[in-house]
């Protein structure tokens, strides 16, 4: 068994973790709770394509047999001829604050650069989510700027921060 963090495809037994990390307040955490939504969406996506498609996907973050959370990416059209990937992460409460997020971001960026022709990967987080900002910076992402009032969460508009990683940036 290894202590190394790695990514793997979502298995059917993992879908409950995705639901917990996005639906349950105590598991989702302060910055990832956006209210209740379609409870069957992850199960349908898993049945349809194993949660990996041409416009994005989801992979589990694991350490040995321990499931730590997930990473996800989706296509964002930037011009009529180009797109980038926009990525995100959700870690279980017991996995937060241990450096797994930085490593998971790094692994997903390497995966996307190795297996797609995309030149740019983006990640957004709330201005107040300092832990995620540190994780992105440790993974090699560059802070680009603040997006004022871009996200609605918990009854208020929130400012966000955009980060990016380019294929031509130093290796991560």
């Amino acid at each position: 068994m290894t202590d190394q963090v790695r990514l793997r495809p979502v298995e059917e037994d993992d879908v409950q973790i995705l639901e917990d990390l996005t639906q349950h307040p105590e598991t989702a955490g302060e910055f990832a709770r956006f209210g209740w939504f379609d409870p069957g969406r992850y199960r349908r996506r898993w049945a349809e394509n194993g949660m990996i498609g041409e416009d994005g996907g989801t992979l589990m973050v694991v350490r040995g047999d321990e499931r730590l959370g997930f990473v996800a990416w989706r296509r964002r059209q930037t011009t009529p001829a180009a797109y980038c990937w926009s990525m995100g992460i959700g870690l279980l409460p017991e996995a937060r604050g241990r450096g797994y997020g930085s490593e998971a971001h790094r692994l997903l960026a390497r995966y996307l650069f190795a297996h797609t022709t995309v030149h740019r990967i983006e990640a957004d987080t709330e201005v107040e989510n300092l832990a995620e900002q540190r994780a992105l910076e440790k993974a090699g992402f560059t802070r680009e700027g603040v997006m004022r009032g871009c996200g609605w969460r918990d009854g208020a508009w929130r400012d966000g921060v955009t980060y990016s990683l380019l294929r031509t940036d130093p290796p991560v």
Side-chain angles (χ1 to χ4, degrees):
M1 185 170 320
T2 178
D3 285 344
Q4 186 175 357
V5 173
R6 63 185 178 84
L7 305 179
R8 67 160 170 77
V10 174
E11 297 170 357
E12 189 171 13
D13 290 346
D14 299 325
V15 174
Q16 184 63 54
I17 291 174
L18 301 177
E19 292 170 347
D20 290 347
L21 279 166
T22 56
Q23 296 273 337
H24 296 103
E26 63 279 354
T27 308
E30 176 183 3
F31 299 106
R33 178 75 175 115
F34 297 99
W36 303 109
F37 54 85
D38 178 2
R41 88 177 184 181
Y42 292 117
R43 294 188 188 283
R44 284 191 305 276
R45 281 189 52 217
W46 189 87
E48 178 186 321
N49 63 14
M51 302 195 78
I52 298 176
E54 63 184 49
D55 289 329
T58 302
L59 296 171
M60 293 302 293
V61 180
V62 298
R63 185 173 155 254
D65 292 333
E66 181 185 11
R67 296 177 292 184
L68 305 174
F70 70 91
V71 290
W73 69 99
R74 63 180 170 76
R75 180 186 302 250
R76 188 175 84 74
Q77 205 71 36
T78 55
T79 71
Y83 70 92
C84 69
W85 293 122
S86 179
M87 63 182 268
I89 189 169
L91 293 179
L92 291 165
E94 58 272 19
R96 296 176 192 150
R98 301 171 148 225
Y100 301 142
S102 294
E103 185 60 18
H105 287 310
R106 217 178 273 116
L107 290 170
L108 182 57
R110 287 179 190 154
Y111 172 81
L112 293 173
F113 285 144
H115 298 287
T116 71
T117 59
V118 75
H119 179 66
R120 175 186 172 86
I121 300 171
E122 295 178 344
D124 299 320
T125 191
E126 284 188 24
V127 167
E128 294 181 8
N129 191 346
L130 300 179
E132 174 64 356
Q133 291 176 53
R134 280 192 304 274
L136 287 163
E137 290 165 4
K138 287 180 183 177
F141 283 73
T142 299
R143 182 182 172 122
E144 293 188 332
V146 174
M147 301 172 294
R148 298 180 316 139
C150 67
W152 179 261
R153 183 184 57 76
D154 197 26
W157 286 102
R158 312 292 175 151
D159 291 349
V161 182
T162 296
Y163 283 82
S164 70
L165 184 67
L166 302 181
R167 184 179 291 275
T168 52
D169 285 344
V172 293

